[in-house]
Amino acid sequence: MKHAIKQDLANHIRLNYNIEVDPNSLFDIQAKRFHEYKRQHLDALYIVTLYNRNKANPELDITPRTFLFGGKAAPGYFIAKLIIKLINSIADTVNRDPDMRGRLKVVFLKDYNVKFAQRVYPAADLSEQISTAGKEASGTGNMKFAMNGALTIGTLDGANIEIREEVGPENFFLFGLTAEEVYALKAKGYNPRDYYNKNSELKLANDRIASGFFCNGDANLFKPLIDNLLNHDQYLLLADYESYVECQDWVGQAYRDQDNWTRMSILNTARMGKFSSDRSIRDYCEDVWNVQPVPIQIEAYAQTNVTLKV
Ligand SMILES: *Cc1c(COP(=O)(O)O)cnc(C)c1O
């Protein structure tokens, strides 16, 4: 089923974008509104890292991946719009590069909405739920992906915490600082440049973006993103980069064992029952609204003496 749905999305991408994506590759999807705390930019840094590794070592044996993004930014949200531009620029460069053939593809799916989302969630092998710990109230995309058999790469944030508890920590790719560690790091004074200077892959990824490499040599276009990361990085992308990259490399390895991956995928679907809307509404009735079910008689059923609980 998963393969057939991936094939359908691949057909949609060929027809609408004229890009060939391989349904046997790992479909790594981040689909949600664009916001800095959701950290699509961190996902983009990993793509550039893979690109750089492949350019440096063309023989590198990597798990072929298709990175898919979907989502809108609020019209006046300049940085979020620029992250969308960055992903599109990386996609153009990667998809055109013959060295990346059979290895990496990146597609930005336009006009993301609920109707189209129905074709996206079930096509995912990997669900990106990588918000800074402490920032996402719950998330619902994380649930939609997991119940459709995607494995999650995620932080301990929002409903990721409960999803991980339900599906089992061995079926969830966890990385990053906890909310407590985020507060502690900010309290003691966070300097993103320390991380930039210490990690050569992170430095190279940032420098390549800054140089204009992905946008015809225009070294000004992404300057606001680079300045923001190196001087402020409010959402701690650089602090979580190393942990994210290690976790993503582990995902790539895990995907090679298709039997085990499929087992983990099925367990994700099978163990997501807790997130049913019936259970959720019942909890609200008991814990928040403090209301009891009201037994009612409905005419048509009155004769059969059935009492409906609503
Ligand atoms: C579920 C959904 C969202 C919310 O996704 P999150 O990952 O929880 O932020 C946003 N847009 C669409 C179209 C959705 O279907």
Side-chain angles (χ1 to χ4, degrees):
M1 280 170 68
K2 176 68 77 184
H3 191 268
I5 293 164
K6 288 169 73 179
Q7 182 65 257
D8 275 355
L9 188 58
N11 294 344
H12 170 90
I13 290 169
R14 184 180 345 91
L15 284 170
N16 291 279
Y17 300 83
N18 200 24
I19 299 170
E20 218 36 78
V21 307
D22 178 4
N24 293 310
S25 65
L26 194 171
F27 276 24
D28 177 335
I29 310 189
Q30 189 168 19
K32 49 181 73 255
R33 297 298 295 241
F34 272 76
H35 200 295
E36 288 167 276
Y37 85 82
K38 290 177 182 283
R39 302 200 293 191
Q40 284 93 350
H41 192 173
L42 180 58
D43 197 340
L45 287 176
Y46 183 63
I47 301 173
V48 174
T49 301
L50 285 182
Y51 178 81
N52 290 341
R53 283 181 189 170
N54 266 281
K55 288 309 264 189
N57 179 6
E59 306 291 295
L60 194 69
D61 182 21
I62 74 154
T63 302
R65 277 207 211 211
T66 301
F67 288 89
L68 300 171
F69 290 85
K72 298 169 185 175
Y77 194 164
F78 172 73
I79 289 285
K81 294 272 185 196
L82 199 51
I83 295 169
I84 294 176
K85 175 64 183 167
L86 172 65
I87 292 166
N88 277 282
S89 300
I90 293 169
D92 284 344
T93 307
V94 166
N95 297 344
R96 258 187 248 277
D97 189 330
D99 294 345
M100 297 301 129
R101 201 166 295 154
R103 296 167 168 263
L104 275 189
K105 280 276 156 66
V106 185
V107 181
F108 192 99
L109 301 163
K110 62 191 176 185
D111 298 331
Y112 191 68
N113 59 29
V114 174
K115 187 157 189 287
F116 180 58
Q118 295 177 79
R119 304 181 60 173
V120 174
Y121 290 109
D125 294 304
L126 187 70
S127 156
E128 298 265 358
Q129 305 300 335
I130 63 176
S131 52
T132 317
K135 293 293 174 190
E136 190 78 85
S138 159
T140 55
N142 48 4
M143 304 174 198
K144 291 181 254 177
F145 277 114
M147 48 180 85
N148 282 285
L151 303 191
T152 304
I153 182 167
T155 49
L156 285 177
D157 198 23
N160 292 353
I161 297 168
E162 290 148 288
I163 292 173
R164 181 167 169 269
E165 277 170 18
E166 291 299 307
V167 306
E170 69 282 11
N171 303 308
F172 187 105
F173 295 100
L174 179 71
F175 77 96
L177 298 171
T178 63
E180 291 69 29
E181 288 166 343
V182 167
Y183 302 136
L185 180 54
K186 288 208 162 183
K188 92 166 200 248
Y190 170 56
N191 184 5
R193 276 183 202 268
D194 294 345
Y195 295 85
Y196 170 83
N197 289 324
K198 265 192 301 207
N199 187 312
S200 58
E201 285 200 307
L202 172 58
K203 186 167 187 305
L204 183 60
N206 262 302
D207 292 352
R208 264 223 158 129
I209 294 168
S211 74
F213 181 86
F214 296 104
C215 50
N216 306 310
D218 180 351
N220 281 320
L221 183 60
F222 297 124
K223 202 166 181 302
L225 286 182
I226 300 292
D227 289 348
N228 192 19
L229 268 198
L230 294 184
N231 299 319
H232 306 289
D233 192 19
Q234 192 190 159
Y235 298 105
L236 305 181
L237 278 73
L238 301 201
D240 270 346
Y241 171 86
E242 190 170 299
S243 169
Y244 180 59
V245 167
E246 275 176 14
C247 192
Q248 278 285 30
D249 292 348
W250 169 32
V251 168
Q253 285 303 320
Y255 194 69
R256 292 172 178 231
D257 184 348
Q258 280 290 297
D259 286 349
N260 191 50
W261 185 281
T262 301
R263 182 175 185 278
M264 293 195 289
S265 164
I266 291 170
L267 286 175
N268 264 259
T269 299
R271 293 177 174 170
M272 282 295 287
K274 178 178 175 187
F275 300 91
S276 119
S277 51
D278 288 348
R279 195 274 311 153
S280 178
I281 298 298
R282 204 175 297 121
D283 281 2
Y284 268 90
C285 289
E286 286 168 12
D287 304 336
V288 181
W289 299 324
N290 200 15
V291 292
Q292 264 67 56
V294 179
I296 57 165
Q297 293 281 345
I298 293 180
E299 277 305 309
Y301 290 92
Q303 293 156 357
T304 58
N305 235 354
V306 176
T307 304
L308 289 184
K309 273 193 168 179
V310 175

